[in-house]
Amino acid sequence: MTIKLVTIDIDDTLVNSAREITPRVKAAIQAATAAGVKIVLATGRPLTGVVDYLDELGLNNQDDQFVINYNGGMIQTTSGKVLGGGKLDLAAYQELRQVADDLNVYMQVEADDAAYTSDNVVPYHASRENFIVKMPLKFVPLAEMPADLPYIKVMMIGDAAKIDADTAALPQAIQDKYYVVRSTANFLEFMNPKASKGAALELLAKHLNLSMDETMALGDQENDLTMIKAAGLGVAMGNAVEKVKKTANMQTTSQNADGVGLAIEKWVLGKNVPELN
């Protein structure tokens, strides 16, 4: 069946190691868009970390183009209309704050305007992430966190070995209560159990009156697994973690070898792509 909707992770999928969209990837996306295919960036980033790429691809500020942010915590048009997602609340933040304290790991929560933390020391990986996605960080004591804040995604952040240990030590009750996903080696994320990239892809397909057979998803990390599973055609990047490669229907080349562009050329535009033969 013809692919009419493509969801694409950003980091190490859409963009290469220099965080750039390569010319071949950009040309393939623009050709697909011109053919009427919906290209949807699906990311753990907030919208502030996506707008530059939407601008570059000619997809920004449009009522009929879409973006998935916060790993599915928010689904919206690129003009800003929110279609769905799933949020947490103050009680969830307080509960996860206690877990973070017990594990002695840094924690922040992302809202729609900023990230918030009650930690006094911000580790390198958190500072770097907030800078990359252009998300200001606010220091607010736990007792002063507002009840009406849109708590979208909680992140525990640290060195890979520390997050390995914390993931293994996470109470089962917490794992059962939240959508918990390791988005990178340094990030352990907690979300509303109804929110994920896969759930967002299904919502968008329904919104556009498409069957799941008409969808394709590309990704490289564990937070991409739900949309890789949900899509009619799930494609793993050549640089993907093993869980993604084992789950996907197909595999393309790496983010540094035009992987997204080749996949769109072959499975969306129907071109002969020798690199994937």
Side-chain angles (χ1 to χ4, degrees), residues 87-90 109 111-113 116 145-152:
K87 299 177 182 178
L88 301 173
D89 56 18
L90 177 58
V109 63
D112 55 0
D113 65 334
Y116 294 78
M145 289 294 289
D148 60 350
L149 188 74
Y151 296 84
I152 303 176

Side-chain angles (χ1 to χ4, degrees), residues 247-258:
T247 301
N249 307 109
M250 297 292 179
Q251 183 173 319
T252 186
T253 55
S254 77
Q255 84 280 36
N256 293 321
D258 302 313

Side-chain angles (χ1 to χ4, degrees), residues 5-135:
L5 168 63
V6 181
T7 53
I8 308 171
D9 172 56
I10 291 182
D11 294 295
D12 293 319
T13 299
L14 174 73
V15 299
N16 60 17
S17 297
R19 299 192 193 94
E20 298 171 338
I21 302 174
T22 66
R24 189 167 181 179
V25 170
K26 183 176 180 179
I29 287 175
Q30 292 180 330
T33 300
V37 178
K38 296 299 181 185
I39 300 294
V40 178
L41 304 190
T43 177
R45 294 178 178 218
L47 187 59
T48 54
V50 183
V51 289
D52 288 348
Y53 296 126
L54 292 174
D55 284 338
E56 183 176 354
L57 296 171
L59 299 174
N60 205 13
N61 297 315
Q62 298 182 40
D63 294 334
D64 61 347
Q65 299 293 345
F66 308 91
V67 62
I68 297 168
N69 299 116
Y70 303 103
N71 287 324
M74 185 175 289
I75 308 118
Q76 57 190 315
T77 66
T78 61
S79 60
K81 180 182 178 181
V82 177
L83 302 179
K87 299 177 182 178
L88 301 173
D89 56 18
L90 177 58
Y93 177 79
Q94 292 169 331
E95 180 176 51
L96 292 169
R97 177 72 266 175
Q98 184 60 58
V99 173
D101 289 344
D102 292 343
L103 295 173
N104 191 29
V105 62
Y106 171 85
M107 190 190 91
Q108 68 181 40
V109 63
E110 291 186 354
D112 55 0
D113 65 334
Y116 294 78
T117 187
S118 55
D119 284 297
N120 293 321
V121 178
V122 180
Y124 164 77
H125 295 293
S127 295
R128 179 175 181 269
E129 174 68 8
N130 292 330
F131 173 78
I132 290 172
V133 303
K134 303 178 182 179
M135 176 69 86

